[in-house]
Amino acid sequence: MQDIRDSMEKADIKKKPMVEKKMGAYCARDDLGPREKKVCYYIDPIKRDVAQPFSTGMPPDRVCKRINNSNPEICGVKFPIKTEKLEKKDLSKLRVKQLKSILANRGVECKGCIEKEEFIKKVQDTEHLEQEL
């Protein structure tokens, strides 16, 4: 949603037909990842419902909460955690489940890791394996 807003001019953001057109153009792109395609799949039938709060300047997370009643799958799409330039203090704020998913995305398994600190150390040690998704 933020990508769509960033690609629009300020005057066009207030116009619902322009927002719908930009959403369609964004979803028609070939360079979208699987998660973005999934969001587009869910948004396509309800473009008008999404364009209404979007055109009022509502932030993407609030738009998601508002349309959650009609289509809860949209907000359920999980995007990978951005790990570039994360320091140890930032990693310590993540849950163990998130740390495990970072390691899984890198193709690394933390055998024998029990404590959160061990997962954080493994994430830091495997930072060079970060893949562009």
Side-chain angles (χ1 to χ4, degrees), residues 82-97:
K82 303 273 190 241
T83 56
E84 63 270 355
K85 297 178 187 151
L86 275 180
E87 296 179 16
K88 185 172 180 182
K89 64 179 181 176
D90 297 328
L91 289 172
S92 65
K93 294 178 184 176
L94 297 177
R95 296 175 180 251
V96 173
K97 184 176 183 179

Side-chain angles (χ1 to χ4, degrees), residues 62-123:
R62 296 246 343 259
V63 172
C64 179
K65 287 178 184 173
R66 181 174 237 182
I67 59 175
N68 195 27
N69 296 335
S70 62
N71 200 336
E73 292 88 11
I74 295 172
C75 297
V77 176
K78 301 277 189 233
F79 286 90
I81 301 160
K82 303 273 190 241
T83 56
E84 63 270 355
K85 297 178 187 151
L86 275 180
E87 296 179 16
K88 185 172 180 182
K89 64 179 181 176
D90 297 328
L91 289 172
S92 65
K93 294 178 184 176
L94 297 177
R95 296 175 180 251
V96 173
K97 184 176 183 179
Q98 293 170 314
L99 294 169
K100 285 181 180 179
S101 74
I102 291 170
L103 292 172
N105 288 342
R106 294 178 181 173
V108 176
E109 190 176 326
C110 192
K111 293 186 181 191
C113 295
I114 298 170
E115 299 294 324
K116 185 176 184 177
E117 290 298 318
E118 295 169 332
F119 285 101
I120 292 172
K121 183 168 179 4
K122 190 71 165 183
V123 167

